[in-house]
Amino acid sequence: QVQLVESGGGSVQAGGSLRLSCANSKRPLNFYTMAWFRQAPGKDREFVAGIKLGAAAVYSDSVKGRFTISRGDGKVSLHLQMVDLKPDDTAFYYCAATSDQESAVEFPTSYQYWGQGTQVTVFS
């Protein structure tokens, strides 16, 4: 029913920008809670940004003011616009979704569905 595919990752110099997208090949996910997480080598998966239906977006302190999460149109369910990228932003970025509107947006355990991830590398 839900199959998430991320795109838009790549290598960029510090201060640069990237825009990640998350598509669901099956159907739109307009009513799902969705989020972006990231995981760097040797570190735990970390919440980046999340969005619930009818609520303001939530961001981690490390990306607030630099990243913007937004819902897409149709089968492209989610975007993450990243500006002023820093080497510490280097990680694998994952899209996640859940149909449970009561779940806490920032916890990985809240999510039923995950994409395979896309690599973001920021070099100085």
Side-chain angles (χ1 to χ4, degrees), residues 36-100:
W36 290 97
F37 288 80
R38 66 187 182 186
Q39 189 165 17
K43 295 187 177 181
D44 292 335
R45 191 163 294 192
E46 173 192 24
F47 171 75
V48 175
I51 188 165
K52 282 191 172 187
L53 185 66
V58 178
Y59 298 91
S60 69
D61 288 342
S62 62
V63 308
K64 199 173 295 182
R66 300 187 297 122
F67 291 11
T68 303
I69 188 172
S70 61
R71 292 192 183 268
D73 295 321
K75 292 183 178 178
V76 179
S77 302
L78 196 68
H79 297 290
L80 184 69
Q81 179 67 49
M82 306 184 293
V83 302
D84 191 23
L85 282 160
K86 306 176 186 302
D88 283 349
D89 295 319
T90 295
F92 232 79
Y93 283 70
Y94 297 90
C95 173
T98 178
S99 57
D100 183 359

